[in-house]
Amino acid sequence: MNGFDWNAAGDVLPLVLRGFEVTLLATVLGTLVAAVLGLAVAVAGRAPSRFVTVPVRAVMEFIRSTPLLVQLVGAAAFFTSVEPLTIGIVVLGIHYAAYTSEVYRAGIDGVPKGQWEACRALSLSPRRTWQAVVLPQAVRKVLPALGNYAISMFKETPFLAVITVQEMVFEARRYGADHFAYTEAFTLAGLVFLVASYPTSLLMRKLEKRLGH
Amino acid sequence: MATEPLPLQKTAAAAPEDAAGTDALVRFDRVVKRYGDHVVLDELDFSVRRGEHVTLIGPSGSGKTTILRLLMTLEKVSGGVIWVDGAPLSHVRTPDGGLKPAGEKHLREARKKIGMVFQQFNLFPNMKVLQNITEAPISVLGMDRDEAESRARELLDLVGLAGKIDAHPSQLSGGQQQRVAIARALAMRPEILLLDEVTSALDPELVAGVLDLLSDIARTTDITMLCVTHEMNFARDVSEKVLMFDAGRVVEAGPPEKIFTAPEHERTRDFLDAVL
Ligand SMILES: Nc1ncnc2c1ncn2[C@@H]1O[C@H](COP(=O)(O)OP(=O)(O)OP(=O)(O)O)[C@@H](O)[C@H]1O
Ligand SMILES: [Mg+2]
């Protein structure tokens, strides 16, 4: 070890940035899956029938109580013919849906009873009640919390390297192994994470303030 | 709540209450409402004729809000039947001629005749004033957008808020919000309008405006109104009939002149002494 090799750092940067594109793609699509699926789960959790709510709750509890890493490796082992990135996105999305659904649930619970009653008094259909009244109010309130989950997901994407998704840490590790320059490779990868997630966190905090939390 | 199918009560259909007018639009027929062991309404009977304006008065906890909420089907009856326009409100007929509690679909249909204005307004904060009023006519009545919007404009004109069409509810005073809520209820062209202490959440200086608006509506439309209010002057001006409740029963009923000037019952006298 003779200090930080700036040449190696220069070499690894394009690789890390190429990996960053994959990381970003996985985060954006994974967040999308988590946002949509979480919402569906939260609404299903309010279904009048126990045949819907009980299994949904059980599955979510199972997902929350097993590690993401195990879920990733398990899914990759099971769906061998599916591309690793696709598996990564779907598993990240489902894993985080277990958390975002709770966030949505809190948002939905926070909509005052009077809003539901006004909907009933106007004979609104359940569909319009959700679509026009309850969800717009609930989602607005939980937007910052959802944003924070997106940032967490971003920071957990390195797990995808384990199932051979060529995201940022995968690239860094490969370069590090080939050139024996782990320090440089991982330092750069870490810096890219920092540069990307810190401003996003600040943005979320701003959003939180603007929405009056 | 699973209630036993009730036998059709043919005798009750010709109950003495109805002798006053066979044109009862709303009729409570031995309506019971319980929360757990707590009996709020105990075999309550009363009826309201079409076009009538009825004021419900009575001490706190006597069941006035419960009555309106049952009519709006926000609560389920524990027993008895509410009849609206000759049909059971929250029951459907069974093949063997009895009645059983209706499902949500039936209730949604039944509610269309009835509108409600709440003490806390309950406007939709995520919609502008205009959309608050047009949402139900468009999505429930299937009115086309242009028609719904021009109706909404007329109604806003009526409630004196033509200029607030693009405002958000949060930008309005309580009195203005309540006027929008009234416009929103009227947009559904209800036959029956339920008003539950609609001015009690308002600053004192805003009360008169809303009451004047309601008097106008009572005078110029044929909407049947059931108002719970502590505004005895309003009750006197607007209603033809006052029902005095106590402990879930009608203690005394009659025209306001009589109830307010010569109440027969001790309970009514005590209550009026306390509020007037
Ligand atoms: N959801 C509920 N659960 C249990 N008890 C209830 C519920 N809603 C109402 N009650 C009870 O029913 C009774 C009648 O209440 P209600 O609100 O109808 O009275 P009210 O005449 O409108 O009184 P106020 O003048 O204070 O508004 C009260 O004793 C109240 O505590
Ligand atoms: Mg009340």
Side-chain angles (χ1 to χ4, degrees):
Chain A
M1 287 282 129
N2 38 5
F4 196 84
D5 180 350
W6 289 98
N7 285 333
D11 280 351
V12 78
L13 186 61
L15 297 175
V16 163
L17 288 179
R18 194 175 67 193
F20 180 68
E21 280 176 30
V22 177
T23 295
L24 209 58
L25 183 72
T27 308
V28 169
L29 295 183
T31 299
L32 215 63
V33 172
V36 173
L37 190 63
L39 187 61
V41 168
V43 174
R46 283 231 163 197
S49 162
R50 271 162 189 256
F51 292 105
V52 179
T53 56
V54 171
V56 165
R57 235 173 268 160
V59 170
M60 291 301 124
E61 195 51 52
F62 171 77
I63 292 173
R64 271 193 299 270
S65 41
T66 47
L68 174 61
L69 190 58
V70 174
Q71 290 167 12
L72 278 170
V73 174
F78 197 80
F79 301 101
T80 43
S81 59
V82 181
E83 228 195 304
L85 180 58
T86 310
I87 290 183
I89 289 166
V90 172
V91 171
L92 270 179
I94 293 176
H95 184 83
Y96 272 86
Y99 295 95
T100 55
S101 65
E102 287 298 303
V103 170
Y104 284 120
R105 198 172 64 99
I108 292 166
D109 287 348
V111 174
K113 209 167 122 254
Q115 293 290 307
W116 294 91
E117 292 184 346
C119 291
R120 289 174 85 187
L122 292 167
S123 296
L124 293 195
S125 64
R127 201 184 118 115
R128 279 311 279 173
T129 300
W130 282 103
Q131 200 179 53
V133 179
V134 176
L135 290 182
Q137 293 178 38
V139 170
R140 188 186 149 88
K141 260 183 292 190
V142 302
L143 227 42
L146 291 177
N148 287 329
Y149 273 116
I151 295 171
S152 312
M153 185 191 292
F154 174 64
K155 289 186 293 192
E156 286 203 299
T157 48
F159 281 131
L160 299 188
V162 176
I163 58 166
T164 74
V165 174
Q166 306 189 1
E167 50 64 69
M168 196 157 39
V169 169
F170 183 93
E171 295 288 3
R173 195 179 50 176
R174 181 157 65 184
Y175 182 90
D178 291 351
H179 300 85
F180 216 73
Y182 283 109
T183 313
E184 292 75 11
F186 280 104
T187 305
L188 272 174
L191 274 176
V192 174
F193 271 115
L194 180 71
V195 166
S197 64
Y198 185 61
T200 319
S201 307
L202 289 185
L203 214 70
M204 285 302 142
R205 227 168 290 165
K206 242 189 178 160
L207 181 69
E208 240 166 277
K209 274 209 193 101
R210 253 197 62 187
L211 294 179
H213 284 264
Chain B
M1 198 164 283
T3 319
E4 295 275 282
L6 294 157
L8 255 186
Q9 293 168 334
K10 293 222 178 62
T11 45
E17 262 280 329
D18 261 15
T22 44
D23 52 349
L25 179 60
V26 174
R27 194 158 59 77
F28 274 56
D29 182 2
R30 298 206 229 154
V31 170
V32 177
K33 180 62 187 176
R34 274 186 301 263
Y35 292 104
D37 289 340
H38 180 39
V39 179
V40 178
L41 303 180
D42 186 11
E43 304 216 331
L44 175 67
D45 288 315
F46 76 92
S47 58
V48 176
R49 276 178 296 151
R50 187 180 292 281
E52 202 168 26
H53 309 117
V54 175
T55 307
L56 284 62
I57 63 171
S60 181
S62 57
K64 307 177 299 289
T65 295
T66 305
I67 289 165
L68 298 194
R69 291 175 59 82
L70 285 170
L71 251 175
M72 194 67 256
T73 67
L74 298 174
E75 304 279 351
K76 289 179 178 149
V77 295
S78 316
V81 182
I82 300 171
W83 298 85
V84 172
D85 216 356
L89 175 71
S90 50
H91 292 83
V92 287
R93 288 169 204 274
T94 54
D96 62 349
L99 291 175
K100 64 166 192 197
E104 185 58 27
K105 222 173 178 161
H106 170 96
L107 293 180
R108 193 146 30 96
E109 222 22 64
R111 274 180 207 132
K112 285 187 191 170
K113 290 183 178 170
I114 307 175
M116 184 160 184
V117 180
F118 300 88
Q119 190 174 345
Q120 297 298 338
F121 331 134
N122 295 347
L123 291 179
F124 304 130
N126 58 310
M127 300 178 189
K128 289 180 176 177
V129 164
L130 179 69
Q131 202 196 347
N132 260 281
I133 300 172
T134 58
E135 168 58 37
I138 292 171
S139 79
V140 178
L141 302 181
M143 207 180 270
D144 75 59
R145 181 169 299 277
D146 288 344
E147 190 188 347
E149 289 187 355
S150 78
R151 279 265 301 151
R153 276 172 220 282
E154 284 168 28
L155 284 166
L156 281 172
D157 230 13
L158 174 78
V159 302
L161 290 175
K164 298 293 185 184
I165 196 157
D166 283 322
H168 277 281
S170 59
Q171 297 165 324
L172 303 180
S173 74
Q176 291 172 328
Q177 290 188 53
Q178 196 57 296
R179 288 150 185 268
V180 174
I182 292 166
R184 180 175 72 171
L186 292 178
M188 289 296 281
R189 301 181 189 275
E191 289 178 37
I192 304 165
L193 188 61
L194 310 176
L195 304 154
D196 190 7
E197 300 194 33
V198 296
T199 56
S200 354
L202 301 181
D203 291 337
E205 73 272 19
L206 301 176
V207 169
V210 171
L211 293 181
D212 285 348
L213 170 62
L214 291 172
S215 303
D216 273 355
I217 293 168
R219 246 185 305 105
T220 58
T221 69
D222 52 9
I223 300 174
T224 305
M225 288 169 45
L226 276 77
C227 325
V228 173
T229 183
H230 294 303
E231 302 285 340
M232 296 304 157
N233 286 329
F234 173 72
R236 212 185 308 244
D237 292 349
V238 169
S239 51
E240 295 87 43
K241 184 155 111 186
V242 176
L243 297 176
M244 164 72 198
F245 284 88
D246 190 33
R249 288 182 164 272
V250 179
V251 178
E252 187 164 356
E257 314 81 77
K258 173 159 177 307
I259 301 272
F260 292 131
T261 53
E264 277 173 20
H265 288 260
E266 176 93 37
R267 289 295 298 138
T268 315
R269 272 196 294 276
D270 290 348
F271 173 72
L272 291 173
D273 283 346
V275 297
L276 289 179

